[in-house]
Amino acid sequence: MNSRIIPASIDYSNQLNPEQLQIVKEAEGPCLVLAGAGSGKTRVLVYRVCYLMERGVPPSSIMLVTFTNKAAREMIGRIERITGAYPGNLYAGTFHHVGNRLLRTYPEEVNIQPNFTILDEEDSCSLIKEIVGDLRNREDFPNPGKIKNVLSLSANTDESIKEVIETRTPVYSNLIPHIEMISREYQKRKNRSNLLDFDDILLYWHRLMKNENVGSKISGQFRYILVDEYHDTNRIQSMVLYQLARTHGNITAVGDDAQSIYSFRGATINNILDFPRMYPNARTFYLKTNYRSTPQILKLANSIISQNRLQFHKNLRSVRENGIKPVVVKCYYSRDEAAFVSQRILHLLESGIKPSDIGILFRSRYQSAQLEIEMNKLRIPYIMRGGLRFFEQAHIKDVLAFFRIMVNFNDRLAWKRLFSISPGIGEKTSGILLGKLDGAGNLKEYARLVESEKPSSRAKQSIENILTILESLREEDISSSIESLMTKFYMGYLEKQYKDFTERKEDIEMLKSISLSYGSLADFLSESSLQEYSRGEQSQSTERIPVILSTIHQAKGLEWKIVFVIGVSGNHFPHPYSRSDSKALEEERRIFYVAVTRAKEDIYISYHVRDIFGPLLNRKSVFIENIPGHVFEEWDFS
């Protein structure tokens, strides 16, 4: 492919604003580019590569590190369109993509074979499951995915397994020696089979860069290191980049500390905050001109983030004309909040706004449940970005399976679901147990028939637990029954099975809240089933792209004309875990900031003042309380 050096022909002054132009032309040595939301950071990276190529730097001497391979492909496409030259030898892609290429080039230096295979997450969990299966008392261990998450955090944060568990998952503190042993065996089996997982790519790459001869050679090969989304890097990635720049210091890190929101994945805001210390001669550039949002929305965003102590202070400026003030909406219950949002969206759609121009954002997954019910009632088309709808989630279906059996004793799918989450009941035993339903009309008859099969002790215990719980559930008090079910059976399963069990528990708390709105169990189950039916019904329509529902984390990098941020209540956002941790509280505020900066023209921020399932009086979030009143309008829907 054509990778020729291009002639100097690009009119940079006409394509870039003064802030962008300065970076493109002057970013030599270590440079930190603090790029505010909607300020054109991708444009800067693309034109910086073009500028370097114009001045004779071969693409093979440039490394462009992005957080998705899609972003890298799009940037390369733009470079080719601008220059007329395909940068064929440019190293561009994610950390894992670039690291994989280098490890296959220099495998001997880190004692691996060049034909190594990369394990995906499913393969990694399967191998860990195999290791756990070889241990005694394996029922005491958490789900393999949770163990893999601990090992991954240890690798990416450069912390020991002990440190990770004590600070992030202290519930596993008694298992630290066992998980350390699993880690050693996991590494041994990978080595034996010439396997690397995603974390190994970064670890081996770092080891490669620390090799005096090869590390210097690689650093010398890539004279310019450009990094996108630097605020989302973890500790090991930062260490790799430091080694890459060690011979020349030409690293340009582009990011926004105000959008650092992925600490739960191991990312750390310290990388961007400490950049000037890591690179003492670093220059700092600012991109403050925002092309996305109106001045009114940016005034709100600037006011929100100004409350944080750990940050590079900057005020975004809009190039757009004046718009309307943001609106903060007070509601009473969460169902009132859902009613306001769905009715407002219906009004917007009827006035000609396209569904694809509307985004609904929330801090935690459970906060969309009431809204989904209301939107389905009004037949507003929507999709859930990056995940299942509320009533489609496995843990919600698990809980509802108990109640389905209460209404319909012969619901085989519900029985099968309960058997599948019960220890000691495999497919064969499940088939036998399902067969016994034909001869039973109630729980007592069924228990007698099952007893005659003489199941194993583990299976027998699980069956007794299920039957005991079913007998204790009360149709007239669904919420209390869900609480009892959680205490007696399901909480233990959640904690062992899911690494995000805290969020799933919150979903079930919301299910309790929703159940209080229904006079009968049959109505409650019918409503939950209709939510799934509505998805199938809407998926048949291609007439219009639906409204997007998304967690704020999933929405990062996206934008809509009109944004609704729901559930900004004191008990929900900031998340309760951050109340006693100032750093966590600041990250919660950054999450709110990210939500607000997704909006182009209009934004509604809603909260409710009472939780149905809790006696405590709620209130608006402290994040709203800290915003000057003149920045927004306040509506009362309570």
Side-chain angles (χ1 to χ4, degrees), residues 237-249:
Q237 289 167 336
S238 171
M239 292 160 65
V240 166
L241 293 170
Y242 184 82
Q243 292 295 333
L244 278 168
R246 74 190 199 197
T247 62
H248 49 70

Side-chain angles (χ1 to χ4, degrees), residues 19 57 69 113 183 206 289 380 443 525 556 561 616:
E19 294 172 341
V57 178
N69 287 317
Q113 299 298 314
S183 176
H206 183 236
T289 304
I380 298 173
L443 290 175
L525 291 175
K556 189 164 171 286
K561 279 187 178 180
L616 295 177

Side-chain angles (χ1 to χ4, degrees), residues 425-438:
I425 302 180
E427 285 190 24
K428 182 179 179 181
T429 303
S430 177
I432 294 171
L433 295 174
L434 289 171
K436 293 297 177 183
L437 286 171
D438 294 332

Side-chain angles (χ1 to χ4, degrees), residues 355-373:
S356 57
D357 285 335
I358 301 173
I360 306 173
L361 308 181
F362 33 87
R363 169 62 181 87
S364 300
R365 179 65 186 80
Y366 70 88
Q367 291 177 297
S368 73
Q370 290 278 10
L371 181 60
E372 290 186 54
I373 292 173

Side-chain angles (χ1 to χ4, degrees), residues 10-25 33 35-36 38-52 64 66 71 74-76 78-79 81-83 226-229 252 254 287 289-292:
I10 301 170
D11 185 357
Y12 293 97
S13 298
N14 192 44
Q15 298 297 322
L16 305 167
N17 69 31
E19 294 172 341
Q20 297 167 340
L21 182 63
Q22 182 185 20
I23 297 164
V24 166
K25 290 190 171 184
V33 178
S39 62
K41 66 179 178 60
T42 301
R43 192 174 190 83
V44 167
L45 287 166
V46 166
Y47 276 91
R48 176 62 180 164
V49 173
C50 295
Y51 185 82
L52 292 173
L64 174 59
T66 61
E74 289 175 351
M75 287 190 200
I76 290 172
R78 289 175 64 177
I79 292 166
R81 288 193 295 274
I82 293 168
T83 64
L226 308 176
V227 190
D228 192 17
E229 307 281 5
T252 299
V254 181
L287 291 175
T289 304
N290 177 284
Y291 292 87
R292 176 186 299 154

Side-chain angles (χ1 to χ4, degrees), residues 539-598:
S539 67
Q540 303 301 314
S541 173
T542 58
E543 293 181 4
R544 50 185 186 172
I545 300 171
V547 173
I548 298 294
L549 272 65
S550 175
T551 64
I552 299 168
H553 286 93
Q554 287 281 346
K556 189 164 171 286
L558 303 178
E559 58 185 39
W560 293 271
K561 279 187 178 180
I562 302 170
V563 167
F564 291 80
V565 187
I566 67 172
V568 192
S569 304
N571 288 358
H572 303 280
F573 193 8
H575 195 283
Y577 76 78
S578 67
R579 290 172 185 164
S580 58
D581 185 337
S582 61
K583 289 185 178 180
L585 182 62
E586 291 209 348
E587 179 162 344
E588 290 290 303
R589 189 176 283 110
R590 293 195 294 270
I591 295 170
F592 186 38
Y593 173 83
V594 166
V596 169
T597 54
R598 300 310 93 199

